[in-house]
Amino acid sequence: MGQINAGIVPVTPFQQNCTILFDEEDKVGVVVDPGGDVDRILAALKDNGIAATAIWLTHGHIDHAGGAMELKDALGVEILGSHEDDRPLLANLENQAHRFGLTGAVRNCEPDRFLVEGDRVSFGSHEFEVLHCPGHAPGHVVYYNRAAKFAHVGDVLFRGSVGRTDLPGGDHPALIRSIREKLLPLGDDIGFICGHGPGGRFGEERRSNPFLV
């Protein structure tokens, strides 16, 4: 098996980082947070010869999960995540779409399996630990690959910022606890991809993120 590689397909008017994680040798991988624009996600998989074996969700907001059911139908794969505390969000994606004035094939989502702290998910030989990190959304999870020193943190942490907590289910103190108690202890050298904008490393956020210093 080769190293983990990642491709980002910005989707929806929110320019959410739909992420394709894959093995650079055998081109087997997963799609993380297909929020919409499923035709663009499918084109990226086809153009790069990547076989997606599952869909992973970090949380249940429209820009991260709005295209999950459509992509599941197109690929014939399972949807894993987020944590069950996000079930109400995932069951109301169509209402979320209406509230934000979004159009397109948004459908409420019922994952094949919700995830809990300590679960492990994988593609090929690449295993990721599941961390339950509420605050931005009650059931938000992070996917952490210890061997690669890499995490997909969704909307928990951004470069120079943190996830918003003014949406239903948001909890700012819980979000900061998730970052301080779950993410930063993994180490300063952990690289991350987030749900919007550029990624970074935990050490830089620990030292300079205004929400954490």
Side-chain angles (χ1 to χ4, degrees):
M1 291 289 182
Q3 294 183 335
I4 296 174
N5 209 333
I8 291 176
V9 183
V11 297
T12 81
F14 298 101
Q15 289 296 281
Q16 190 274 125
N17 291 335
C18 174
T19 306
I20 301 172
L21 300 176
F22 62 98
D23 183 283
E24 64 181 16
E25 287 188 5
D26 67 12
K27 298 297 183 74
V28 170
V30 295
V31 178
V32 183
D33 288 354
D37 298 328
V38 169
D39 55 340
R40 298 184 59 219
I41 300 169
L42 291 170
L45 292 169
K46 181 179 179 180
D47 291 347
N48 292 280
I50 298 168
T53 60
I55 296 164
W56 296 354
L57 300 181
T58 63
H59 64 292
H61 288 156
I62 182 70
D63 54 329
H64 291 255
M69 294 300 287
E70 182 184 356
L71 187 63
K72 171 187 170 73
D73 288 348
L75 296 176
V77 299
E78 290 189 329
I79 300 172
L80 305 182
S82 48
H83 185 281
E84 191 165 11
D85 286 351
D86 266 8
R87 184 188 290 274
L89 290 174
L90 292 167
N92 284 279
L93 289 173
E94 294 165 22
N95 288 335
Q96 289 186 50
H98 179 74
R99 188 162 57 249
F100 286 108
L102 298 176
T103 59
V106 175
R107 288 157 53 194
N108 295 335
C109 179
E110 178 66 30
D112 294 279
R113 178 159 63 97
F114 285 104
L115 300 173
V116 299
E117 177 88 13
D119 277 349
R120 284 171 166 75
V121 293
S122 62
F123 59 89
S125 64
H126 304 294
E127 184 176 80
F128 287 73
E129 301 170 38
V130 175
L131 307 174
H132 181 206
C133 295
H136 175 68
H140 200 301
V141 298
V142 165
Y143 299 97
Y144 169 53
N145 185 284
R146 190 174 297 272
K149 296 184 176 181
F150 163 77
H152 194 301
V153 300
D155 284 0
V156 173
L157 178 68
F158 301 114
R159 183 185 290 185
S161 188
V162 298
R164 60 188 294 183
T165 54
D166 59 339
L167 297 170
D171 183 331
H172 187 75
L175 178 74
I176 299 302
R177 284 196 302 273
S178 290
I179 296 170
R180 292 191 180 281
E181 297 176 8
K182 299 283 185 73
L183 301 186
L184 298 186
L186 297 176
D188 283 358
D189 57 345
I190 304 301
F192 67 89
I193 287 176
C194 47
H196 304 267
R201 293 194 180 276
F202 287 169
E204 182 61 28
E205 301 313 309
R206 182 182 60 79
R207 290 186 291 268
S208 65
N209 190 308
F211 293 89
L212 302 175
V213 297

